[in-house]
């Protein structure tokens, strides 16, 4: 018996839905893997190029070599490089007592002029010209002020002094009394200078920081003396 002959069919073969989905996922996974492989290869090329072109200094850093640590002598020297000043002191004996209490063995005594509070002066402001000054003085005498004298120097030169007080509150009271009599006076604090002793010394910053009486100076102030 002759077997039947199968004629080729022009119809497309049937594809199940599950087969289609499986094929699609396979294509996506393959494409993703291809992209990852391409990125990995590109990164490897970049890393090789950077290592070849990196300067020698970076190579030292990449090796993780630790930076040299400062020695104890270096740290101690850095602490010694601090210049300080303390004072004022009444005399050298007073400075010596203070330095002994602070365990400061080496120091230098320095004399400086200090501006100290002296008193409080009540005055009538200076006139613009000599004629106005004469009129002001006549006006004050007419009000019963006899102890008047002209300030000859300083920032209120030409003013008429009406009184000097050691206590500021008394000067304020006197000024108020003058205002009640129609005299608009002012108050200034006068100063005087006196010599005072200070000491300069080298001290570690960690020790000096605990004492607020220390004043730090430029290092040259201790080295050049």
């Amino acid at each position: 018996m002759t077997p039947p002959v199968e004629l080729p069919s022009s119809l497309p073969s049937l594809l199940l839905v599950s087969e289609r989905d499986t094929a699609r996922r396979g294509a996506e996974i393959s494409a993703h893997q291809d992209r990852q492989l391409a990125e990995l290869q590109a990164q490897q090329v970049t890393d090789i190029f950077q290592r070849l072109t990196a300067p020698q200094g970076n190579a030292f850093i990449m090796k993780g070599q630790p930076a040299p640590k400062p020695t104890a002598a270096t740290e101690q020297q850095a602490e010694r490089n601090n210049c300080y000043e303390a004072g004022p002191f009444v005399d050298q004996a007073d400075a010596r007592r203070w330095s002994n209490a602070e365990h400061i063995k080496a120091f230098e005594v320095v004399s400086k002029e200090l501006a100290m509070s002296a008193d409080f002066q009540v005055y009538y402001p200076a006139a613009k010209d000599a004629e106005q000054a004469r009129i002001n003085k006549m006006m004050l005498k007419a009000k019963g002020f006899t102890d008047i004298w002209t300030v000859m120097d300083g920032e209120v030169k030409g003013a008429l002094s009406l009184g000097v007080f050691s206590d500021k509150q008394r000067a304020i009271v006197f000024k108020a009394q003058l205002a009640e009599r129609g005299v608009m006076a002012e108050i200034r604090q006068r100063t005087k200078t006196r010599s005072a002793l200070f000491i300069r010394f080298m001290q570690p910053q960690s020790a000096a920081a605990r004492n607020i009486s220390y004043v730090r100076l430029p290092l040259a102030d201790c080295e050049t003396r």
Side-chain angles (χ1 to χ4, degrees):
M1 180 175 179
T2 304
V5 178
E6 294 183 359
L7 296 176
S9 176
S10 61
L11 296 176
S13 61
L14 295 178
L15 182 65
L16 298 179
V17 174
S18 60
E19 294 176 340
R20 183 196 63 187
D21 294 341
T22 300
R24 180 178 298 172
R25 285 196 298 270
E28 292 176 351
I29 293 173
S30 178
H32 178 70
Q33 292 177 342
D34 290 343
R35 287 195 300 271
Q36 286 187 327
L37 180 59
E39 292 174 355
L40 179 61
Q41 291 175 344
Q43 183 62 42
Q44 290 177 343
V45 171
T46 301
D47 292 344
I48 292 173
F49 178 78
Q50 289 179 346
R51 285 196 296 267
L52 292 176
T53 57
Q56 294 299 321
N58 289 343
F60 176 79
I61 296 175
M62 290 173 63
K63 291 179 182 178
Q65 297 292 337
K69 295 182 179 180
T71 62
T74 303
E75 293 178 349
Q76 186 177 7
Q77 180 63 29
E79 279 199 323
R80 282 202 298 266
N81 290 338
N82 292 282
C83 176
Y84 294 95
E85 183 179 84
F89 300 100
V90 177
D91 51 31
Q92 293 198 20
D94 184 29
R96 174 62 65 182
R97 284 191 294 269
W98 183 88
S99 64
N100 289 337
E102 293 294 319
H103 306 289
I104 299 173
K105 297 181 179 180
F107 63 87
E108 181 180 8
V109 178
V110 180
S111 178
K112 298 170 64 175
E113 294 294 321
L114 295 182
M116 309 295 294
S117 175
D119 50 37
F120 299 88
Q121 184 178 45
V122 181
Y123 65 94
Y124 191 80
K128 295 182 178 180
D129 50 45
E131 179 61 21
Q132 185 61 49
R134 186 182 67 82
I135 294 173
N136 290 346
K137 188 174 291 189
M138 291 176 58
M139 178 272 294
L140 293 172
K141 288 183 177 181
K143 291 181 178 291
F145 296 98
T146 56
D147 189 14
I148 303 172
W149 54 274
T150 303
V151 179
M152 303 305 297
D153 55 13
E155 58 184 7
V156 296
K157 181 179 180 180
L160 301 176
S161 177
L162 303 177
V164 177
F165 302 87
S166 59
D167 181 70
K168 184 177 182 179
Q169 189 60 38
R170 291 179 59 191
I172 293 174
V173 171
F174 183 59
K175 178 183 176 181
Q177 294 172 348
L178 293 177
E180 292 176 355
R181 299 170 62 179
V183 179
M184 298 295 103
E186 299 292 341
I187 300 175
R188 70 160 176 164
Q189 182 177 5
R190 300 195 303 181
T191 60
K192 61 181 180 180
T193 60
R194 71 173 181 87
S195 297
L197 297 181
F198 292 78
I199 63 173
R200 293 179 181 176
F201 54 93
M202 303 291 285
Q203 186 80 343
Q205 184 175 5
S206 57
R210 297 194 297 267
N211 196 323
I212 60 175
S213 65
Y214 295 178
V215 176
R216 186 169 182 177
L217 300 177
L219 184 60
D221 287 354
C222 286
E223 291 181 339
T224 58
R225 291 179 175 273

